[in-house]
Amino acid sequence: ASVYVAQVFTDAKLDFASIDKLRESLITGVPFVVTMTFVRDVGIDKIVDGYTDVFKGNGVKIEEEPFKAFLEAVKKSGDVKDKQVYEFQFISDAAAKFEVKFKNKDKEEYTAKGLTKEQFENFTKMWFGKAVDSGLAALHEQLMHPDEKI
């Protein structure tokens, strides 16, 4: 059963040829925002496990910063209730350094500043990387083929 509904907000010209091309076009066209609106109550351990699995499945070293601190911030933010919204803001500055902000219930929970492009891209793999479960695979299908029923 679905756990959340994802939305992506961007002014970038997106390339839907593949999930990798979509990810690259989002990064090139920063800023963008991803929201996750939860459709049921979810224990925080399940959410942290999900992020951990997708990071590991995409070769991200979760024991290193900034990913270690991000996962700790998510865990600290507590269990999720039905209709609760996570917001992720993806931003770059004039020096071509990247930033990711994680907000929960309109409260900033975590900000990673001064990220390299690789670290920034690794954060986007939470949704736009290798699908490590059927939920992400379904999300990819919906992103790549929005007019088709799934």
Side-chain angles (χ1 to χ4, degrees), residues 28-99:
T28 302
V30 293
F32 64 95
V33 173
V34 177
T35 63
M36 298 171 63
T37 303
F38 291 86
V39 295
R40 58 185 168 94
D41 294 357
V42 184
I44 196 59
D45 288 338
K46 182 172 177 146
I47 293 171
V48 171
D49 288 349
Y51 288 146
T52 299
D53 290 348
V54 78
F55 280 145
K56 284 182 175 178
N58 281 280
V60 177
K61 295 179 176 138
I62 61 164
E63 65 281 356
E64 295 179 2
E65 298 302 345
F67 307 100
K68 181 179 177 184
F70 165 72
L71 291 169
E72 288 169 1
V74 171
K75 187 168 185 87
K76 192 174 151 193
S77 73
D79 292 341
V80 170
K81 300 294 181 198
D82 185 25
K83 297 184 182 58
Q84 190 169 326
V85 177
Y86 278 6
E87 179 180 297
F88 296 86
Q89 298 175 0
F90 292 83
I91 306 160
S92 70
D93 64 22
K97 287 291 185 180
F98 296 95
E99 183 175 309

Side-chain angles (χ1 to χ4, degrees), residues 12 23-30 32 98 117 120:
R23 181 178 65 247
E24 189 57 40
S25 62
L26 280 166
I27 292 167
T28 302
V30 293
F32 64 95
F98 296 95
K117 185 177 180 188
F120 189 74

Side-chain angles (χ1 to χ4, degrees), residues 112-131:
K113 293 184 178 184
L115 299 177
T116 65
K117 185 177 180 188
E118 180 183 12
Q119 290 170 321
F120 189 74
E121 182 175 6
N122 282 340
F123 268 110
T124 70
K125 290 178 180 176
M126 288 190 284
W127 309 279
F128 310 110
K130 181 175 137 194

